[in-house]
Amino acid sequence: QKEVEQNSGPLSVPEGAIASLNCTYSDRGSQSFFWYRQYSGKSPELIMFIYSNGDKEDGRFTAQLNKASQYVSLLIRDSQPSDSATYLCAVNGAGGFKTIFGAGTRLFVKA
Amino acid sequence: GAGVSQSPSNKVTEKGKDVELRCDPISGHTALYWYRQRLGQGLEFLIYFQGNSAPDKSGLPSDRFSAERTGESVSTLTIQRTQQEDSAVYLCASSLELAGSDEQFFGPGTRLTVL
């Protein structure tokens, strides 16, 4: 079982819709959870981080964490073509400081 | 500098040659990561440095790969006897705090092509 799993996609949504990106992780003791965005040919950049169960909102982005289900998601409201990118879920485990990345989900927002 | 820098930005080498990739992290960042990203794939963890602790080398794919870091500054990733499957973008990232719970700042990467 992979430590951090994401659907590779591609996920295609129309402009203005809500895009929902999901991630599951295997280490039940994980403490920190991150969403990075990576445009084609560019390096990843942090969008959101979340440490506590529940929702965390930042502009059009909402991160949701459910530690009991070992599940973290990212919602993008009012999706724009400029949101088209690969979204990487990352988890920091309790056993050490190393952060583990998922393989990423490719998102296409159609104008 | 303002961010993580890597050099060279592109490297083309012949199979069997050794290559050395360099990463300059953000000043003061104690943690440094190396990742490999093949075309269209996710990030593959290679090695992790944290302060003066022994590095986590669990991601290195073979003994042809090695990395060093001088204190909390520059790191070099060395690939010996390169193979075509080593062709990828090699990304370096640094992070500020000891807990590893902080944001990783990525460099622009080195694109390695092994002919």
Side-chain angles (χ1 to χ4, degrees):
Chain A
Q1 180 188 7
K2 292 182 181 178
E3 295 181 73
V4 179
E5 294 207 45
Q6 297 180 253
N7 187 322
S8 62
L11 173 65
S12 183
V13 300
E15 184 175 0
I18 295 175
S20 177
L21 304 164
N22 305 315
C23 173
T24 58
Y25 58 94
S26 60
D27 184 350
R28 184 170 290 278
S30 297
Q31 300 293 321
S32 311
F33 307 86
F34 307 84
W35 283 101
Y36 286 79
R37 177 177 62 199
Q38 185 176 26
Y39 290 113
S40 181
K42 302 295 185 183
S43 296
E45 56 181 350
L46 184 71
I47 300 175
M48 299 262 320
F49 62 88
I50 186 168
Y51 302 148
S52 304
N53 274 329
D55 295 359
K56 179 181 179 182
E57 187 174 317
D58 183 0
R60 296 187 295 111
F61 298 95
T62 299
Q64 298 175 317
L65 175 61
N66 184 326
K67 289 187 177 181
S69 299
Q70 295 174 243
Y71 175 93
V72 58
S73 65
L74 179 70
L75 301 178
I76 306 175
R77 290 182 300 282
D78 188 24
S79 295
Q80 302 297 309
S82 59
D83 294 327
S84 298
T86 296
Y87 289 81
L88 301 165
C89 172
V91 175
N92 183 253
F97 301 140
K98 187 175 70 183
T99 299
I100 306 297
F101 280 82
T105 298
R106 293 171 60 197
L107 172 67
F108 290 107
V109 180
K110 298 174 293 185
Chain B
V4 178
S5 61
Q6 292 185 246
S7 61
S9 55
N10 281 284
K11 177 70 177 178
V12 180
T13 190
E14 294 180 346
K15 178 181 174 181
K17 301 283 189 181
D18 297 352
V19 295
E20 189 172 280
L21 312 180
R22 176 187 170 107
C23 173
D24 285 87
I26 293 173
S27 178
H29 280 195
T30 57
L32 187 147
Y33 296 77
W34 281 100
Y35 298 95
R36 178 169 68 180
Q37 189 171 35
R38 292 194 169 106
L39 186 64
Q41 304 297 311
L43 296 178
E44 179 185 2
F45 166 79
L46 297 178
I47 190 168
Y48 164 66
F49 296 91
Q50 175 53 272
N52 294 319
S53 301
D56 180 343
K57 303 180 180 181
S58 60
L60 294 178
S62 78
D63 58 8
R64 297 187 295 106
F65 288 72
S66 62
E68 294 183 347
R69 187 181 186 192
T70 306
E72 294 184 353
S73 60
V74 171
S75 177
T76 56
L77 175 68
T78 301
I79 308 173
Q80 297 178 309
R81 304 181 302 282
T82 53
Q83 304 295 311
Q84 288 183 333
E85 61 263 28
D86 298 334
S87 296
V89 174
Y90 290 81
L91 290 164
C92 173
S94 70
S95 178
L96 178 60
E97 291 199 32
L98 294 176
S101 61
D102 259 350
E103 174 180 2
Q104 291 187 33
F105 293 83
F106 284 82
T110 294
R111 182 175 299 277
L112 174 65
T113 302
V114 182
L115 302 177

